[in-house]
Structure formats: structure tokens, C-alpha cells
């Protein structure tokens, strides 16, 4: 997907404020219980599958619903989207809400799949 200049500019402004890791880092540590894996893609994107055990909490509602699902702001969270841009924006907002251990997975679902890692099919 070709992203707009304004979107990429926004992502690049907040990127330095967000911790990023690659798909290999996530695979090596999950599902060891070190963190909660959050899929922040849109609901229709789930048709292509998701990372095993991930909880879906779309970027459009994550700020509204995160405290109900994870009230402890020390909960380690790894966010992913399709390619790693929207998860940066969502992670930045969670940081601003006081969440202390938020990480964005660079490469997103696409990078995970390209690495040949397992995915869950939608139910």
C-alpha cells in the first residue's frame, strides 16, 4: 500500500517516542507470557488471519477500550497492525495515557507472515 505523505510524516514524528521491535523479537518471546499481543487492525483485516493468541482491539477503539481490558498500566503490550505504522500511532497514544510498557511490532502482520511464522485463521 502506498501511504500518503501526511500519514508518513505523522508516523515519523511519533516514531522516536515509541519502542519498536521486529517480528523475530516477538516470535522469540511469544507465547512465553512476557507480554500481551494486541492486533490493532480493522475488523475486516482479520479475515486474512492473525497472530496466534492475539487479542483484537482495533486502532479506532483502542484508547476507548484499553483500560477496561487492561487496567494495569504496567501490563507489557506489543501492538501490531498490517505493516507497523498504525501500531506506532496507537502505541504513542497508549504511552500518552500512561501505559509504561508499550511496544510496536515493526513489519506488522505482513512481516510476520513473510517470515513464515504461524497465523491463526479467523473463526
Amino acid at each position: 500500500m502506498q501511504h500518503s505523505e501526511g500519514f508518513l510524516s505523522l508516523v515519523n514524528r511519533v516514531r522516536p517516542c515509541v519502542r519498536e521491535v521486529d517480528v523475530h523479537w516477538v516470535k522469540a518471546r511469544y507465547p512465553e507470557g512476557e507480554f500481551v499481543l494486541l492486533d490493532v487492525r480493522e475488523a475486516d483485516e482479520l479475515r486474512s488471519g492473525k497472530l496466534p493468541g492475539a487479542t483484537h482491539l482495533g486502532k479506532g477503539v483502542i484508547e476507548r477500550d484499553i483500560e477496561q481490558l487492561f487496567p494495569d498500566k504496567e501490563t507489557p503490550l506489543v501492538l501490531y497492525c498490517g505493516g507497523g505504522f498504525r501500531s506506532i500511532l496507537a502505541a504513542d497514544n497508549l504511552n500518552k495515557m500512561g501505559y509504561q510498557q508499550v511496544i510496536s511490532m515493526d513489519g506488522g502482520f505482513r512481516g510476520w507472515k513473510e517470515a513464515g511464522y504461524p497465523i491463526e485463521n479467523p473463526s
Side-chain angles (χ1 to χ4, degrees):
M1 168 179 261
Q2 187 68 25
H3 296 298
S4 71
E5 185 177 317
F7 175 72
L8 292 175
S9 176
L10 175 62
V11 169
N12 288 328
R13 274 197 309 270
V14 300
R15 178 173 261 138
C17 303
V18 173
R19 180 175 174 206
E20 282 186 282
V21 297
D22 65 19
V23 297
H24 310 295
W25 185 96
V26 173
K27 175 69 168 96
R29 290 162 178 80
Y30 192 76
E32 300 301 319
E34 288 185 32
F35 51 82
V36 173
L37 192 56
L38 291 179
D39 185 328
V40 301
R41 298 176 299 157
E42 298 299 318
D44 66 321
E45 292 176 279
L46 294 176
R47 288 192 299 259
S48 62
K50 66 178 187 138
L51 276 63
T55 299
H56 178 251
L57 192 55
K59 185 182 172 302
V61 297
I62 193 167
E63 297 88 354
R64 182 193 71 194
D65 297 347
I66 189 74
E67 291 174 305
Q68 294 168 357
L69 292 173
F70 305 101
D72 180 359
K73 294 191 176 181
E74 294 293 328
T75 302
L77 304 169
V78 173
L79 282 55
Y80 75 91
C81 59
F85 295 136
R86 291 172 290 169
S87 58
I88 287 174
L89 298 176
D92 183 56
N93 280 342
L94 295 186
N95 285 336
K96 289 174 182 172
M97 291 176 69
Y99 283 86
Q100 302 296 309
Q101 299 186 64
V102 182
I103 299 171
S104 175
M105 186 176 82
D106 187 30
F109 181 75
R110 184 170 38 258
W112 182 272
K113 204 170 168 182
E114 287 171 359
Y117 295 146
I119 60 170
E120 283 181 354
N121 291 320
S123 33

